[in-house]
Amino acid sequence: MAPRLGPTTVETLDNGLRVLLRSLPGSAVVTSALIYRSGTRDEGPGQGGAAHFLEHMMFKGSTHFGPGEIDRRTQALGGSNNAFTSHDVTAYHFSFAADRWREALVLEADRMRGLLLDPAEVASERQVILEEIAMYDDEPWDALEMAVFARFYDGHPYGRPVLGPREDLQAMGAEEVR
């Protein structure tokens, strides 16, 4: 029998952030997810892949956590994290033991307020994304899916690849990602 979920509580903070809380009584793990209503569909001309690029950069240094430190800290505390970008949203999530979940909020708050976007890290991560695009191009099912979406959604933002076109990414620096 599946565990019974507790009620969902929805609050809107003074800064406009909407918070949804849902309990699973007896769970030893707390998962936090931060979802921005911004994805590929929101990118203008020449900005293709900016949302996905920014997703990558959220792990590359902030005021109190250097490049890679968010992942190291998460692992050291026995947790996990990840992120994804779609046409509609960009999401970040952490799972920690119930006695450590506040650490996810500390990490998210720091990168929300103080993302660094160091030019050297931007250049390095651009290469990672270009390699990611090459992997999609080399995988027949991924290449087919992108071609079908481009054709089906011709002229609509859903027809654009989430990773962005190479030429847009090559022209994107720290300020464009910001």
Side-chain angles (χ1 to χ4, degrees), residues 3-38:
R4 295 192 57 89
L5 291 173
T8 300
T9 304
V10 180
E11 300 283 337
T12 301
L13 304 181
D14 291 342
N15 64 3
L17 181 67
R18 193 165 66 164
V19 178
L20 287 77
L21 300 171
R22 186 144 207 205
S23 65
L24 178 58
S27 177
V29 175
V30 174
T31 297
S32 67
L34 181 62
I35 303 170
Y36 292 92
R37 292 184 188 174
S38 182

Side-chain angles (χ1 to χ4, degrees), residues 70-133:
I70 288 174
D71 289 333
R72 287 190 296 276
R73 180 127 180 90
T74 300
Q75 291 172 358
L77 291 169
S80 64
N81 69 52
N82 210 335
F84 69 87
T85 303
S86 73
H87 286 91
D88 300 308
V89 301
T90 305
Y92 305 86
H93 54 91
F94 287 91
S95 291
F96 282 110
D99 65 342
R100 300 174 188 166
W101 68 270
R102 286 179 178 85
E103 187 66 21
L105 302 183
V106 169
L107 296 166
E108 290 292 14
D110 190 60
R111 63 186 181 183
M112 271 188 196
R113 284 190 214 113
L115 189 64
L116 297 180
L117 296 174
D118 176 82
E121 291 294 331
V122 169
S124 173
E125 206 58 30
R126 179 187 303 106
Q127 289 309 119
V128 169
I129 296 168
L130 291 170
E131 290 171 18
E132 194 176 354
I133 291 170

